[in-house]
């Protein structure tokens, strides 16, 4: 097993099993090459003829996602995807918890940082627009984050932790276990999500989705401040976003985005951040 010391054990296990999967070896290259050529055609086409949404795009995107996770996604891939859908807003709620922007839960399903992120059925995914609503979280955190309030309350963050994602429902996993052919692993599921957005979304929505990774830099900046006195955590954090340090390439060139990297640079980073913050708080409580 090739284990990266700065990655969580859970993600290391996912990565290790991914490389042995049939779909990773033979289907992923087909998706990746196809995506390259489709993007060369679709991005200019959308810029000219499909700049703004016509109204049906989000439902198509989420319908494809819902169908795929029910019938084709592996159990491990779907679990990782659902965890990410739930972990990312909990990290953002944590970043806002020591600022005036802290708010009570809205209870709105799959929408907004303060929403309910239970994923219990494919119907919920389509009805509440999971895919684009998830991308919107990255913009919401920038709109609400207060740098000064965060720095003034840094001790509060060091003594608190993100909420537990166990509070959210995951009944869609049972549906997947019952109906899925378990064909696609985590990498291909992520690639297909990006593929689907690229094909069906209007130009501005697809570019907005590609640019939604800027929030990783905000999260990294916050973690650097919170863990400034934790030498081991600071070493591990140096290995995240080292290549795309501020995600600016997504803003400058839509053709250079790489869907294979999303799993490694975004989902894996959120998993690490969530485990780091939860464990640090648990250690403080025991101490």
């Amino acid at each position: 097993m090739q284990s990266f010391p700065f990655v969580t054990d859970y993600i290391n296990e996912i990565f290790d099993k991914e490389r042995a999967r049939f779909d990773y070896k033979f289907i992923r290259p087909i998706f990746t090459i196809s995506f390259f050529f489709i993007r060369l055609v679709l991005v200019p086409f959308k810029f000219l003829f499909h700049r703004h949404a016509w109204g049906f795009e989000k439902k198509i995107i989420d319908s494809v996602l819902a169908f795929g996770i029910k019938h084709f996604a592996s159990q491990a891939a779907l679990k990782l995807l659902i965890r990410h859908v739930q972990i990312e807003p909990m990290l953002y709620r944590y970043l806002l918890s020591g600022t005036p922007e802290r708010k009570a839960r809205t209870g709105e399903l799959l929408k907004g940082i303060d929403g309910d992120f239970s994923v219990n059925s494919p119907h919920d995914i389509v009805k509440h627009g999971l895919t684009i609503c998830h991308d919107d979280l990255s913009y919401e955190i920038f709109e609400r984050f207060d740098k000064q309030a965060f720095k003034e309350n840094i001790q509060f963050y060091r003594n608190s932790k993100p909420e537990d994602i166990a509070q959210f429902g995951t009944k869609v996993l049972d549906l997947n276990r019952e109906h899925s052919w378990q064909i696609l692993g985590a990498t291909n599921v992520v690639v297909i999500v990006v593929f689907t957005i690229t094909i069906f979304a209007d130009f501005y929505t697809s570019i907005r989705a590609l640019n939604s990774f800027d929030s990783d830099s905000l999260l990294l900046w916050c973690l650097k401040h919170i863990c400034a006195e934790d030498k081991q955590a600071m070493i591990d954090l140096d290995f995240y976003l080292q290549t795309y340090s501020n995600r600016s390439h997504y803003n400058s060139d839509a053709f250079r985005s790489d869907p294979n990297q999303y799993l490694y640079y975004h989902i894996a980073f959120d998993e690490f951040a969530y485990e780091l913050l939860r464990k640090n708080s648990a250690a403080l409580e025991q101490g």
Side-chain angles (χ1 to χ4, degrees):
M1 177 177 177
Q2 186 179 12
S3 180
F4 297 96
F6 53 88
V7 174
T8 67
D9 291 341
Y10 171 63
I11 292 295
N12 267 319
E13 184 179 353
I14 292 286
F15 286 172
D16 191 57
K17 291 180 178 178
E18 273 287 287
R19 285 187 285 267
R21 289 185 60 91
F22 174 87
D23 70 292
Y24 183 87
K25 294 178 179 178
F26 298 103
I27 300 179
R28 181 184 61 88
I30 296 173
F31 281 158
T32 303
I33 294 170
S34 300
F35 180 74
F36 173 79
F37 288 106
I38 287 174
R39 183 171 47 184
L40 286 178
V41 175
L42 281 182
V43 171
F45 176 84
K46 288 176 182 292
F47 181 77
L48 293 174
F49 303 109
H50 191 193
R51 290 197 186 190
H52 299 283
W54 293 334
F56 57 81
E57 295 90 346
K58 290 182 180 180
K59 190 169 288 291
I60 291 178
I61 291 168
D62 286 306
S63 294
V64 171
L65 174 63
F67 183 82
I69 65 176
K70 179 179 179 181
H71 296 288
F72 296 103
S74 67
Q75 183 77 182
L78 180 56
K79 180 182 178 182
L80 179 66
L81 183 66
I82 299 305
R83 280 180 60 86
H84 179 64
V85 166
Q86 296 172 343
I87 283 175
E88 188 166 356
M90 292 306 94
L91 288 171
Y92 296 159
R93 272 182 61 81
Y94 170 74
L95 297 185
L96 297 174
S97 63
T99 76
E101 282 294 323
R102 179 176 184 172
K103 297 179 181 178
R105 288 202 170 280
T106 63
E108 193 167 1
L109 198 60
L110 302 176
K111 187 175 182 180
I113 290 174
D114 304 307
D116 178 351
F117 289 90
S118 297
V119 187
N120 289 322
S121 71
H123 174 73
D124 289 341
I125 291 172
V126 178
K127 181 180 179 181
H128 299 281
L130 169 62
T131 308
I132 303 304
C133 285
H134 177 76
D135 291 336
D136 287 343
L137 297 176
S138 298
Y139 294 92
E140 183 182 350
I141 183 61
F142 272 109
E143 292 172 1
R144 295 173 57 185
F145 183 73
D146 186 328
K147 174 183 176 181
Q148 193 58 40
F150 173 84
K151 293 176 75 173
E152 289 175 355
N153 291 291
I154 195 66
Q155 203 57 45
F156 166 82
Y157 289 98
R158 289 172 179 165
N159 293 311
S160 59
K161 61 183 176 182
E163 298 169 60
D164 193 344
I165 62 170
Q167 66 187 288
F168 300 123
T170 57
K171 292 180 181 177
V172 72
L173 289 170
D174 297 330
L175 199 64
N176 168 270
R177 192 178 296 109
E178 182 180 350
H179 296 280
S180 178
W181 294 348
Q182 307 292 318
I183 295 174
L184 301 175
T187 302
N188 279 327
V189 168
V190 172
V191 171
I192 288 175
V193 171
V194 179
F195 213 118
T196 304
I197 294 173
T198 303
I199 292 174
F200 294 108
D202 61 281
F203 177 78
Y204 287 112
T205 299
S206 59
I207 296 301
R208 180 179 170 86
L210 290 175
N211 289 335
S212 67
F213 298 92
D214 288 340
S215 56
D216 287 355
S217 294
L218 174 61
L219 176 60
L220 178 62
W221 181 86
C222 291
L223 289 174
K224 285 279 192 174
H225 281 274
I226 295 168
C227 302
E229 299 174 2
D230 185 338
K231 183 178 179 180
Q232 183 58 55
M234 294 295 281
I235 291 172
D236 290 340
L237 287 169
D238 284 341
F239 284 86
Y240 287 95
L241 306 188
Q242 71 244 28
T243 303
Y244 307 129
S245 60
N246 60 6
R247 301 290 181 186
S248 61
H249 71 295
Y250 291 121
N251 291 302
S252 61
D253 188 352
F255 293 99
R256 292 176 60 192
S257 62
D258 182 1
N260 290 283
Q261 297 290 349
Y262 300 166
L263 175 61
Y264 300 92
Y265 284 94
H266 180 56
I267 296 178
F269 177 48
D270 279 359
E271 285 279 352
F272 173 81
Y274 183 72
E275 181 175 292
L276 173 67
L277 294 169
R278 297 277 299 178
K279 279 188 174 181
N280 277 1
S281 179
L284 286 172
E285 289 174 3
Q286 290 176 1

